[in-house]
Amino acid sequence: MALRSIRSTVTFPQPFTLSGYPDELPSGEYEVLVEEELIEGLSFTAYRRTAIYLTIHGKGRLPGRTELRPITWADLEAALGQDQQRDT
């Protein structure tokens, strides 16, 4: 089974929250990691999303800690939508 990972960066101009996590995260740039697997047996190349993670870098008491938080695409869109609602 062929797997691939895609990394991208999202920017949150305001502090935000993620569904399923109690803490508020500070504004800033965050890396998003999307893992996909090749769908076998098709006449063309296609991938299926299997996981999405938001990379959280520790600050304050935990500066060296990095956490990959599993999220859904809907969670990411909702968090980005929070910023858009605050800007209007």
XYZ file of all heavy atoms in Angstrom:
701
model
N 0.837 -1.160 0.000
C 0.000 0.000 0.000
C 0.894 1.239 0.000
O 1.757 1.400 0.854
C -0.885 -0.018 1.248
C -1.787 1.161 1.354
S -2.813 1.201 2.836
C -3.376 -0.460 2.999
N 0.697 2.126 -0.957
C 1.490 3.341 -1.061
C 0.856 4.443 -0.225
O -0.347 4.688 -0.291
C 1.578 3.775 -2.522
N 1.689 5.080 0.574
C 1.244 6.178 1.430
C 1.996 7.439 1.049
O 3.121 7.379 0.558
C 1.513 5.862 2.899
C 0.857 4.617 3.468
C 1.368 4.355 4.872
C -0.646 4.770 3.484
N 1.372 8.589 1.307
C 2.066 9.851 1.131
C 1.608 10.813 2.214
O 0.516 10.685 2.765
C 1.847 10.439 -0.257
C 0.448 10.965 -0.518
C 0.349 11.554 -1.905
N -0.976 12.129 -2.130
C -1.362 12.654 -3.258
N -0.535 12.669 -4.294
N -2.570 13.165 -3.392
N 2.474 11.766 2.514
C 2.171 12.799 3.488
C 2.304 14.153 2.814
O 3.253 14.376 2.050
C 3.137 12.744 4.670
O 2.998 11.526 5.361
N 1.373 15.029 3.102
C 1.394 16.379 2.551
C 1.412 17.352 3.720
O 0.578 17.267 4.618
C 0.157 16.637 1.668
C 0.109 15.629 0.525
C 0.145 18.068 1.141
C -1.196 15.615 -0.229
N 2.368 18.250 3.704
C 2.478 19.255 4.759
C 2.108 20.619 4.190
O 2.520 20.960 3.084
C 3.902 19.306 5.311
C 4.310 18.036 6.010
C 5.753 18.128 6.517
N 6.195 16.859 7.049
C 6.018 16.456 8.284
N 5.384 17.232 9.137
N 6.446 15.290 8.691
N 1.359 21.377 4.970
C 1.027 22.741 4.582
C 0.961 23.582 5.849
O 1.008 23.055 6.963
C -0.295 22.793 3.814
O -1.346 22.318 4.623
N 0.867 24.870 5.683
C 0.830 25.790 6.811
C -0.452 26.591 6.769
O -0.870 27.051 5.701
C 2.040 26.744 6.769
O 3.237 25.958 6.760
C 2.070 27.673 7.961
N -1.096 26.732 7.929
C -2.262 27.612 8.055
C -1.921 28.680 9.081
O -1.124 28.450 9.994
C -3.546 26.852 8.480
C -3.985 25.884 7.405
C -3.360 26.139 9.791
N -2.514 29.841 8.903
C -2.277 30.957 9.810
C -3.568 31.327 10.506
O -4.599 31.525 9.852
C -1.727 32.175 9.046
O -0.523 31.793 8.380
C -1.433 33.333 9.988
N -3.484 31.423 11.819
C -4.613 31.855 12.637
C -4.259 33.238 13.205
O -3.394 33.334 14.079
C -4.867 30.873 13.779
C -5.393 29.547 13.323
C -4.538 28.487 13.087
C -6.751 29.351 13.132
C -5.027 27.257 12.671
C -7.247 28.124 12.711
C -6.382 27.082 12.480
N -4.913 34.293 12.733
C -4.605 35.628 13.246
C -5.086 35.854 14.686
O -4.617 36.753 15.357
C -5.329 36.585 12.306
C -5.966 35.772 11.251
C -5.819 34.338 11.609
N -6.014 35.025 15.149
C -6.583 35.143 16.486
C -6.386 33.817 17.235
O -6.270 32.770 16.616
C -8.099 35.410 16.393
C -8.489 36.597 15.549
C -8.178 37.904 16.233
O -8.187 37.989 17.457
N -7.885 38.919 15.449
N -6.406 33.843 18.571
C -6.426 32.580 19.314
C -7.648 31.757 18.901
O -8.679 32.318 18.507
C -6.540 33.025 20.779
C -5.986 34.406 20.788
C -6.375 34.998 19.454
N -7.539 30.432 18.977
C -8.615 29.573 18.487
C -8.698 28.303 19.319
O -7.798 27.986 20.096
C -8.404 29.226 17.006
C -7.181 28.379 16.757
C -7.303 27.006 16.556
C -5.917 28.942 16.710
C -6.186 26.225 16.330
C -4.787 28.159 16.485
C -4.924 26.798 16.292
N -9.791 27.578 19.155
C -9.984 26.290 19.806
C -10.270 25.235 18.750
O -10.691 25.556 17.637
C -11.151 26.324 20.813
O -12.337 26.708 20.120
C -10.877 27.296 21.945
N -10.035 23.983 19.123
C -10.335 22.842 18.259
C -11.345 21.953 18.956
O -11.249 21.730 20.177
C -9.071 22.021 17.980
C -8.029 22.650 17.083
C -6.748 21.832 17.124
C -8.541 22.749 15.659
N -12.267 21.437 18.207
C -13.257 20.517 18.752
C -12.557 19.321 19.391
O -11.634 18.747 18.810
C -14.186 20.050 17.626
O -15.106 19.113 18.106
N -12.977 18.974 20.608
C -12.403 17.830 21.294
C -11.204 18.152 22.166
O -10.673 17.270 22.844
N -10.737 19.399 22.154
C -9.592 19.804 22.972
C -10.010 20.993 23.833
O -10.596 21.952 23.329
C -8.397 20.177 22.093
C -7.878 19.008 21.304
C -8.261 18.818 19.977
C -7.007 18.087 21.876
C -7.787 17.736 19.247
C -6.534 17.000 21.142
C -6.930 16.838 19.836
O -6.466 15.770 19.122
N -9.700 20.958 25.125
C -10.194 21.994 26.020
C -9.441 23.325 25.963
O -9.984 24.361 26.327
C -10.033 21.367 27.409
C -8.869 20.444 27.258
C -8.975 19.916 25.845
N -8.196 23.313 25.505
C -7.387 24.518 25.590
C -7.541 25.435 24.379
O -7.866 25.008 23.287
C -5.917 24.159 25.785
C -5.377 23.240 24.693
O -6.184 22.527 24.064
O -4.157 23.216 24.476
N -7.312 26.719 24.622
C -7.283 27.696 23.537
C -5.838 27.802 23.067
O -4.908 27.875 23.872
C -7.771 29.059 24.041
C -7.818 30.100 22.934
C -8.415 31.407 23.402
O -7.704 32.151 24.109
O -9.581 31.664 23.071
N -5.662 27.783 21.759
C -4.325 27.862 21.176
C -4.050 29.289 20.727
O -4.961 29.997 20.282
C -4.211 26.903 19.989
C -4.356 25.423 20.369
C -4.495 24.563 19.123
C -3.170 24.970 21.193
N -2.801 29.737 20.838
C -2.481 31.112 20.467
C -2.490 31.316 18.958
O -2.372 30.369 18.177
C -1.075 31.313 21.035
C -0.494 29.942 21.133
C -1.650 29.012 21.378
N -2.640 32.564 18.563
C -2.572 32.891 17.136
C -1.180 32.535 16.613
O -0.227 32.389 17.382
C -2.851 34.379 16.938
O -1.885 35.149 17.620
N -1.079 32.390 15.307
C 0.211 32.087 14.697
C 0.074 31.099 13.554
O -1.030 30.762 13.122
N 1.224 30.649 13.052
C 1.266 29.679 11.967
C 1.357 28.268 12.540
O 2.110 28.032 13.491
C 2.462 29.936 11.050
C 2.332 31.196 10.240
C 3.449 31.338 9.218
O 4.467 30.626 9.314
O 3.293 32.179 8.320
N 0.602 27.365 11.941
C 0.580 25.971 12.364
C 0.748 25.083 11.139
O 0.197 25.370 10.077
C -0.738 25.630 13.055
C -0.879 26.274 14.414
C -1.307 27.585 14.543
C -0.580 25.565 15.572
C -1.427 28.189 15.786
C -0.694 26.154 16.814
C -1.118 27.467 16.912
O -1.233 28.052 18.145
N 1.492 24.002 11.313
C 1.672 23.043 10.230
C 0.549 22.007 10.284
O 0.191 21.521 11.351
C 3.013 22.344 10.361
C 3.298 21.392 9.224
C 4.653 20.742 9.346
O 4.799 19.843 10.191
O 5.548 21.148 8.598
N 0.000 21.710 9.119
C -1.018 20.674 8.972
C -0.379 19.515 8.214
O 0.249 19.720 7.169
C -2.254 21.200 8.200
C -3.262 20.086 7.982
C -2.889 22.366 8.941
N -0.514 18.317 8.756
C 0.008 17.108 8.115
C -1.179 16.256 7.688
O -2.007 15.884 8.519
C 0.889 16.325 9.090
C 1.383 14.965 8.619
C 2.305 15.102 7.423
C 2.079 14.231 9.750
N -1.264 15.987 6.391
C -2.333 15.146 5.845
C -1.699 13.860 5.337
O -0.749 13.895 4.544
C -3.077 15.856 4.686
C -4.149 14.960 4.105
C -3.664 17.180 5.155
N -2.194 12.730 5.820
C -1.716 11.428 5.358
C -2.763 10.823 4.434
O -3.965 10.865 4.736
C -1.440 10.507 6.541
C -0.287 10.985 7.388
C 0.052 10.040 8.522
O -0.724 9.100 8.779
O 1.098 10.254 9.145
N -2.286 10.268 3.322
C -3.180 9.675 2.325
C -2.631 8.330 1.878
O -1.414 8.110 1.907
C -3.310 10.595 1.104
C -3.904 11.951 1.415
C -3.971 12.856 0.208
O -3.107 12.757 -0.683
O -4.888 13.675 0.173
N -3.535 7.458 1.454
C -3.119 6.163 0.913
C -3.627 6.043 -0.519
O -4.681 6.569 -0.865
C -3.648 5.016 1.765
C -5.149 4.862 1.750
C -5.642 3.740 2.652
O -4.858 3.136 3.389
O -6.852 3.469 2.603
N -2.847 5.339 -1.338
C -3.203 5.110 -2.724
C -4.417 4.194 -2.802
O -4.476 3.169 -2.113
C -2.030 4.483 -3.472
C -2.230 4.194 -4.956
C -2.403 5.483 -5.743
C -1.044 3.393 -5.484
N -5.379 4.561 -3.611
C -6.532 3.687 -3.857
C -6.136 2.744 -4.984
O -5.866 3.166 -6.105
C -7.785 4.506 -4.245
C -8.149 5.467 -3.112
C -8.952 3.574 -4.563
C -9.257 6.440 -3.463
N -6.073 1.471 -4.675
C -5.625 0.458 -5.640
C -6.751 0.067 -6.594
O -7.932 0.154 -6.258
C -5.164 -0.795 -4.887
C -4.129 -0.540 -3.822
C -2.706 -0.661 -4.317
O -2.487 -1.221 -5.399
O -1.823 -0.193 -3.588
N -6.378 -0.372 -7.779
C -7.326 -0.962 -8.707
C -8.045 0.019 -9.625
O -8.940 -0.393 -10.363
N -7.689 1.270 -9.589
C -8.314 2.246 -10.483
C -7.463 2.414 -11.733
O -6.273 2.120 -11.739
C -8.468 3.594 -9.770
C -9.330 3.619 -8.518
C -9.321 5.005 -7.899
C -10.755 3.192 -8.836
N -8.052 2.916 -12.789
C -7.307 3.144 -14.023
C -6.568 4.484 -13.998
O -5.920 4.855 -14.968
C -8.257 3.101 -15.223
O -9.237 4.108 -15.090
N -6.668 5.196 -12.887
C -5.974 6.465 -12.716
C -5.466 6.521 -11.272
O -5.900 5.755 -10.421
C -6.906 7.653 -13.019
C -8.175 7.635 -12.204
C -8.255 8.289 -10.988
C -9.300 6.940 -12.664
C -9.432 8.259 -10.243
C -10.472 6.908 -11.924
C -10.535 7.573 -10.702
N -4.551 7.432 -11.010
C -3.989 7.558 -9.672
C -4.908 8.400 -8.799
O -5.265 9.516 -9.161
C -2.600 8.217 -9.731
O -1.763 7.436 -10.591
C -1.972 8.309 -8.359
N -5.283 7.853 -7.649
C -6.126 8.581 -6.698
C -5.731 8.182 -5.283
O -5.319 7.042 -5.042
C -7.602 8.275 -6.938
N -5.860 9.133 -4.379
C -5.526 8.899 -2.978
C -6.731 9.170 -2.088
O -7.568 10.001 -2.402
C -4.362 9.799 -2.541
C -3.037 9.366 -3.097
C -2.635 9.746 -4.378
C -2.182 8.571 -2.361
C -1.420 9.348 -4.895
C -0.961 8.160 -2.870
C -0.585 8.550 -4.132
O 0.617 8.151 -4.642
N -6.767 8.470 -0.953
C -7.814 8.630 0.054
C -7.159 9.207 1.306
O -6.142 8.695 1.780
C -8.437 7.277 0.378
C -9.374 7.246 1.550
C -9.850 5.833 1.899
N -10.315 5.103 0.719
C -9.801 3.956 0.283
N -8.811 3.369 0.946
N -10.272 3.361 -0.796
N -7.763 10.273 1.849
C -7.247 10.875 3.074
C -7.492 9.915 4.235
O -8.601 9.448 4.444
C -7.967 12.199 3.319
C -7.405 12.993 4.445
C -8.143 14.306 4.645
N -8.185 15.102 3.436
C -9.285 15.710 2.987
N -10.409 15.631 3.640
N -9.250 16.417 1.879
N -6.451 9.613 4.995
C -6.592 8.686 6.124
C -6.436 9.376 7.471
O -6.934 8.869 8.471
C -5.573 7.538 6.030
O -4.255 8.097 5.990
C -5.816 6.691 4.789
N -5.742 10.501 7.512
C -5.557 11.204 8.784
C -5.125 12.643 8.535
O -4.477 12.937 7.532
C -4.508 10.504 9.639
N -5.505 13.511 9.472
C -5.067 14.908 9.457
C -4.593 15.240 10.866
O -5.256 14.916 11.851
C -6.210 15.860 9.056
C -6.775 15.492 7.699
C -5.724 17.315 9.058
C -8.019 16.270 7.339
N -3.451 15.912 10.939
C -2.877 16.304 12.221
C -2.521 17.783 12.196
O -2.042 18.296 11.182
C -1.596 15.525 12.528
C -1.786 14.038 12.572
C -1.511 13.250 11.459
C -2.254 13.420 13.724
C -1.682 11.876 11.496
C -2.430 12.041 13.773
C -2.148 11.286 12.652
O -2.324 9.933 12.685
N -2.735 18.458 13.317
C -2.276 19.826 13.494
C -1.081 19.769 14.436
O -1.150 19.174 15.515
C -3.387 20.696 14.089
C -3.078 22.188 14.155
C -3.008 22.775 12.738
C -4.133 22.926 14.962
N 0.036 20.357 14.017
C 1.249 20.356 14.816
C 1.208 21.503 15.814
O 1.064 22.658 15.432
C 2.490 20.496 13.910
O 2.467 19.463 12.925
C 3.771 20.397 14.710
N 1.318 21.160 17.092
C 1.304 22.147 18.166
C 2.681 22.157 18.813
O 3.132 21.128 19.341
C 0.237 21.791 19.240
C -1.117 21.487 18.613
C 0.171 22.881 20.303
C -1.756 22.621 17.881
N 3.365 23.289 18.769
C 4.680 23.425 19.393
C 4.500 23.994 20.790
O 3.762 24.961 20.985
C 5.592 24.331 18.565
C 5.902 23.759 17.225
N 6.788 22.712 17.053
C 5.427 24.041 15.991
C 6.859 22.403 15.771
N 6.037 23.188 15.105
N 5.162 23.381 21.747
C 5.041 23.799 23.138
C 5.622 25.177 23.393
O 6.585 25.586 22.768
N 4.975 25.884 24.308
C 5.444 27.196 24.741
C 5.271 27.263 26.247
O 4.668 26.387 26.853
C 4.632 28.293 24.063
C 4.851 28.341 22.575
C 4.095 29.453 21.919
C 4.450 29.429 20.443
N 3.510 30.005 19.589
N 5.800 28.298 26.837
C 5.630 28.471 28.278
C 6.358 27.390 29.052
O 7.565 27.238 28.943
N 5.598 26.579 29.794
C 6.190 25.535 30.640
C 6.755 24.378 29.824
O 7.579 23.617 30.314
C 5.152 24.977 31.603
C 4.594 25.981 32.573
C 3.537 25.367 33.456
N 2.560 24.651 32.628
C 1.867 23.604 33.014
N 2.012 23.123 34.208
N 0.994 23.031 32.222
N 6.306 24.180 28.583
C 6.705 23.018 27.778
C 7.318 23.450 26.441
O 6.842 23.065 25.371
C 5.487 22.123 27.532
C 4.745 21.657 28.789
C 3.411 21.046 28.432
C 5.599 20.683 29.566
N 8.409 24.218 26.442
C 8.916 24.785 25.183
C 9.468 23.762 24.199
O 9.443 23.991 23.007
C 10.003 25.739 25.638
C 10.455 25.210 26.956
C 9.233 24.587 27.573
N 9.945 22.619 24.654
C 10.536 21.633 23.752
C 9.571 20.577 23.262
O 9.926 19.708 22.478
N 8.332 20.638 23.685
C 7.354 19.601 23.354
C 6.633 19.929 22.045
O 6.213 21.055 21.819
C 6.342 19.517 24.486
C 5.269 18.513 24.265
C 4.341 18.497 25.448
N 3.140 17.770 25.106
C 2.081 17.711 25.868
N 2.060 18.334 27.021
N 1.036 17.029 25.508
N 6.497 18.937 21.178
C 5.716 19.064 19.958
C 4.643 17.991 19.980
O 4.924 16.834 20.282
C 6.594 18.904 18.706
O 7.585 19.938 18.719
C 5.778 19.006 17.435
N 3.430 18.385 19.651
C 2.295 17.463 19.692
C 1.611 17.445 18.328
O 1.402 18.486 17.724
C 1.322 17.963 20.761
C 0.066 17.160 20.906
C -0.889 17.774 21.931
O -0.562 18.793 22.555
O -1.974 17.207 22.068
N 1.281 16.257 17.844
C 0.468 16.109 16.640
C -0.946 15.796 17.095
O -1.208 14.708 17.601
C 0.986 14.980 15.746
C 2.277 15.236 15.003
C 2.682 13.994 14.221
C 2.150 16.421 14.078
N -1.847 16.743 16.922
C -3.226 16.530 17.353
C -4.053 16.008 16.181
O -4.194 16.689 15.167
C -3.845 17.829 17.848
C -3.277 18.265 19.160
C -4.094 19.359 19.765
N -3.532 19.715 21.060
C -3.996 20.669 21.824
N -5.045 21.370 21.421
N -3.442 20.932 22.983
N -4.633 14.820 16.315
C -5.514 14.324 15.261
C -6.762 15.204 15.202
O -7.371 15.496 16.231
C -5.868 12.906 15.688
C -5.118 12.626 16.941
C -4.480 13.871 17.410
N -7.089 15.641 14.007
C -8.282 16.452 13.796
C -8.979 15.960 12.534
O -8.447 15.113 11.820
C -7.939 17.958 13.648
C -6.999 18.202 12.451
C -7.335 18.508 14.931
C -6.781 19.662 12.137
N -10.151 16.488 12.285
C -10.843 16.204 11.027
C -10.765 17.445 10.149
O -10.452 18.544 10.618
C -12.319 15.842 11.265
O -12.996 16.994 11.782
C -12.462 14.667 12.222
N -11.090 17.251 8.885
C -11.107 18.383 7.975
C -12.154 19.404 8.448
O -11.930 20.610 8.400
C -11.410 17.907 6.558
C -11.050 18.924 5.537
C -11.906 19.723 4.836
C -9.744 19.279 5.098
N -11.199 20.558 4.010
C -9.870 20.296 4.142
C -8.466 18.835 5.442
C -8.773 20.879 3.520
C -7.372 19.422 4.807
C -7.538 20.422 3.863
N -13.276 18.913 8.946
C -14.334 19.792 9.458
C -13.834 20.595 10.668
O -14.166 21.785 10.804
C -15.569 18.983 9.824
N -13.032 19.963 11.552
C -12.458 20.675 12.697
C -11.576 21.832 12.229
O -11.632 22.933 12.779
C -11.596 19.750 13.555
C -12.367 18.671 14.277
O -13.592 18.818 14.454
O -11.737 17.661 14.660
N -10.742 21.564 11.230
C -9.841 22.584 10.710
C -10.633 23.730 10.093
O -10.357 24.905 10.361
C -8.878 21.979 9.689
C -7.860 22.934 9.076
C -6.983 23.567 10.148
C -7.012 22.203 8.042
N -11.622 23.406 9.287
C -12.449 24.447 8.672
C -13.201 25.262 9.718
O -13.322 26.481 9.592
C -13.426 23.826 7.672
C -12.742 23.345 6.412
C -13.702 22.707 5.428
O -14.750 22.178 5.854
O -13.392 22.749 4.227
N -13.690 24.602 10.762
C -14.407 25.309 11.826
C -13.478 26.269 12.559
O -13.856 27.404 12.863
C -15.031 24.314 12.792
N -12.249 25.834 12.852
C -11.295 26.696 13.541
C -10.924 27.890 12.672
O -10.839 29.023 13.159
C -10.047 25.899 13.925
N -10.724 27.658 11.380
C -10.435 28.766 10.474
C -11.645 29.694 10.362
O -11.497 30.912 10.267
C -10.028 28.233 9.095
C -8.667 27.547 9.051
C -8.492 26.806 7.727
C -7.544 28.541 9.264
N -12.839 29.129 10.403
C -14.066 29.921 10.353
C -14.231 30.808 11.568
O -14.797 31.903 11.477
N -13.739 30.367 12.727
C -13.799 31.201 13.939
C -13.069 32.510 13.706
O -13.546 33.567 14.089
C -13.145 30.475 15.123
C -13.902 29.307 15.668
C -13.090 28.585 16.756
O -12.144 29.112 17.309
N -13.485 27.358 17.042
N -11.916 32.440 13.059
C -11.140 33.644 12.778
C -11.890 34.569 11.830
O -11.900 35.772 11.994
C -9.779 33.281 12.174
C -8.697 33.155 13.221
O -8.934 33.578 14.372
O -7.625 32.655 12.905
N -12.502 33.998 10.806
C -13.223 34.822 9.843
C -14.398 35.535 10.501
O -14.682 36.682 10.203
C -13.701 33.968 8.667
C -12.556 33.487 7.804
C -13.012 32.547 6.703
O -14.177 32.145 6.659
N -12.113 32.192 5.823
N -15.086 34.853 11.412
C -16.227 35.460 12.108
C -15.759 36.599 13.015
O -16.427 37.601 13.150
C -16.976 34.423 12.927
C -17.753 33.445 12.077
C -18.410 32.356 12.914
O -18.212 32.287 14.117
N -19.183 31.512 12.265
N -14.611 36.458 13.642
C -14.082 37.509 14.518
C -13.658 38.733 13.727
O -13.705 39.849 14.220
C -12.900 36.991 15.328
C -13.292 35.991 16.369
C -12.068 35.517 17.107
N -12.423 34.428 18.004
C -11.543 33.664 18.597
N -10.257 33.858 18.405
N -11.920 32.695 19.404
N -13.181 38.517 12.475
C -12.711 39.630 11.654
C -13.857 40.467 11.102
O -13.647 41.604 10.711
C -11.848 39.108 10.491
C -10.485 38.602 10.987
O -10.091 38.941 12.119
O -9.834 37.860 10.240
N -15.069 39.907 11.032
C -16.178 40.670 10.449
C -16.974 41.388 11.494
O -16.875 41.241 12.652
C -17.121 39.741 9.667
O -17.603 38.713 10.525
C -16.414 39.174 8.468
